């Protein structure tokens, strides 16, 4: 029997021909045969320097295979089937590449497997690279909303805050969802207290990373926040009433954004 290390002598062209031959055969395709065929087909999508090593354990070879896969080159059907292999030895980095590739393909047929993997990772999704969360918001926003609500219910806020402090898109999406919750909860004191903690901690993380918190808010809100900063430093340059007038203008033009801003910075509301 040929040792696994000798697989390096088989070219991908020959392997593709062999797989085509197997698929065209009228074989009794049981579950084991199907898995073997799938693993062999996966070799077609590995990098050119991938060589199985017979001195390594099966688990190590599987992980080495997974790290070598070019997910972007795999067709949608095989991407779905590939999950069963990932479940055998994929770490968070491999799942991150797999998820990013699914998001890049932006094919509705992959939504189900995306949701399955996302749910399977649980709270670990908050440790995925920022770019994946941004793409999830753009491609499948319901998945990110599910993540936020799950983080709230399980009180995994610190990881969520860390993600929000690194991306204006993530922060604004999260704030929009919190805004809707605030309205549904009829501006409850407890949720207002949570928002105060959320914004305060995001602000601290931004300062620690040399990020101006003003820049993670939508453009339409930034001028007001800048005026607020100036007022706090010098009330002679920007008066309370001047700032209040600008907030009222925002409220008339963009009601939801003004509610968000006032809930994040209650001191912006200055009654006459």
């Amino acid at each position: 029997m040929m040792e696994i290390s000798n697989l390096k002598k088989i070219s991908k062209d020959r392997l593709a021909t062999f797989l085509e031959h197997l698929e065209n055969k009228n074989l009794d395709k049981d579950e084991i045969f199907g898995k073997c065929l799938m693993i062999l087909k996966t070799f077609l999508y590995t990098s050119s320097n991938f060589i199985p090593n017979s001195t390594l354990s099966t688990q190590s070879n599987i992980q080495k295979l997974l790290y070598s896969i070019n997910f972007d080159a795999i067709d949608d059907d095989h991407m779905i089937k590939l999950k069963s292999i990932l479940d055998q030895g994929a770490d968070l980095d491999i799942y991150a590449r797999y998820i990013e590739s699914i998001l890049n393909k932006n094919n509705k047929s992959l939504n189900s497997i995306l949701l399955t993997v996302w749910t399977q990772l649980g709270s670990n999704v908050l440790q995925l690279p920022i770019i994946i969360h941004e793409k999830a918001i753009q491609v499948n926003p319901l998945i990110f909303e599910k993540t936020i609500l799950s983080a709230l219910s399980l009180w995994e806020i610190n990881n969520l805050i860390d993600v929000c402090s690194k991306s204006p898109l993530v922060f604004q999406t999260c704030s929009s969802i919190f805004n809707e919750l605030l309205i549904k909860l009829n501006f409850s004191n407890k949720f207002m207290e949570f928002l105060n903690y959320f914004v305060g901690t995001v602000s601290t993380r931004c300062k620690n990373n040399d990020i101006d918190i003003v820049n993670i808010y939508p453009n339409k809100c930034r001028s007001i926040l800048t005026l607020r900063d100036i007022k706090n430093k010098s009330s002679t340059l920007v008066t309370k009433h001047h700032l209040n007038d600008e907030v009222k203008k925002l409220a008339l033009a963009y009601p939801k954004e003004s509610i968000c801003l006032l809930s994040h910075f209650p001191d912006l509301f200055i009654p006459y």
Side-chain angles (χ1 to χ4, degrees):
M1 182 176 179
M2 178 178 60
E3 290 190 6
I4 194 168
S5 60
N6 288 335
L7 284 173
K8 63 184 179 180
K9 297 180 181 179
I10 301 177
S11 70
K12 289 186 179 181
D13 288 340
R14 291 179 63 188
L15 178 57
T17 302
F18 176 63
L19 288 172
E20 185 178 359
H21 173 73
L22 288 179
E23 290 173 341
N24 290 335
K25 282 282 188 178
N26 292 321
L27 298 173
D28 182 18
K29 297 183 180 180
D30 58 19
E31 185 178 350
I32 295 177
F33 176 83
K35 286 184 178 180
C36 290
L37 198 62
M38 181 176 59
I39 292 173
L40 285 173
K41 187 174 182 180
T42 303
F43 278 95
L44 296 175
Y45 303 108
T46 57
S47 61
S48 58
N49 60 357
F50 171 69
I51 300 173
N53 189 340
S54 60
T55 64
L56 298 176
S57 66
T58 301
Q59 188 71 14
S60 297
N61 266 304
I62 289 176
Q63 194 161 53
K64 187 179 178 184
L65 167 67
L66 296 178
Y67 267 105
S68 183
I69 295 173
N70 177 9
F71 291 108
D72 291 338
I74 300 177
D75 61 74
D76 295 343
D77 183 58
H78 194 66
M79 280 289 281
I80 295 172
K81 294 177 180 178
L82 191 59
K83 182 185 175 297
S84 63
I85 298 180
L86 266 63
D87 290 343
Q88 302 303 310
D91 57 20
L92 190 61
D93 288 339
I94 294 171
Y95 275 118
R97 290 176 47 233
Y98 180 69
I99 290 171
E100 185 174 8
S101 182
I102 291 176
L103 292 170
N104 286 336
K105 292 175 187 294
N106 194 11
N107 191 318
K108 290 182 179 180
S109 67
L110 296 174
N111 282 349
S112 178
I113 196 68
L114 174 62
L115 179 59
T116 299
V117 175
W118 199 273
T119 303
Q120 179 180 317
L121 290 178
S123 60
N124 286 328
V125 295
L126 291 171
Q127 298 177 36
L128 293 172
I130 297 298
I131 189 173
I132 292 181
H133 290 288
E134 292 179 334
K135 286 184 178 180
I137 290 169
Q138 295 165 347
V139 174
N140 199 322
L142 290 178
I143 281 184
F144 188 73
E145 182 175 346
K146 173 183 171 69
T147 301
I148 292 173
L149 296 177
S150 176
L152 277 177
S153 65
L154 298 174
W155 199 248
E156 293 165 341
I157 304 302
N158 284 332
N159 286 334
L160 180 60
I161 286 172
D162 189 54
V163 175
C164 287
S165 66
K166 295 176 181 176
S167 167
L169 177 60
V170 174
F171 174 77
Q172 290 168 29
T173 302
C174 191
S175 295
S176 179
I177 293 171
F178 287 164
N179 209 37
E180 295 296 328
L181 284 173
L182 179 65
I183 294 170
K184 287 181 180 179
L185 294 172
N186 198 25
F187 299 86
S188 75
N189 289 333
K190 284 189 176 181
F191 201 74
M192 287 293 291
E193 289 174 5
F194 160 73
L195 284 177
N196 181 59
Y197 169 78
F198 171 74
V199 175
T201 312
V202 169
S203 178
T204 299
R205 298 276 176 91
C206 286
K207 287 178 182 176
N208 292 341
N209 295 318
D210 294 323
I211 298 171
D212 188 345
I213 192 172
V214 171
N215 293 328
I216 68 174
Y217 280 86
N219 287 332
K220 57 181 72 75
C221 297
R222 293 179 186 177
S223 60
I224 290 177
L225 291 176
T226 300
L227 288 173
R228 174 179 176 269
D229 285 343
I230 295 172
K231 182 189 77 66
N232 289 340
K233 293 174 182 176
S234 175
S235 58
T236 59
L237 292 176
V238 177
T239 66
K240 293 180 179 180
H241 294 320
H242 177 209
L243 183 57
N244 200 22
D245 286 341
E246 292 302 312
V247 173
K248 285 183 176 180
K249 289 178 185 177
L250 180 71
L252 290 172
Y254 306 100
K256 288 187 176 180
E257 284 78 1
S258 67
I259 291 173
C260 180
L261 210 56
L262 288 169
S263 64
H264 287 194
F265 304 97
D267 60 288
L268 284 172
F269 180 71
I270 308 171
Y272 285 107

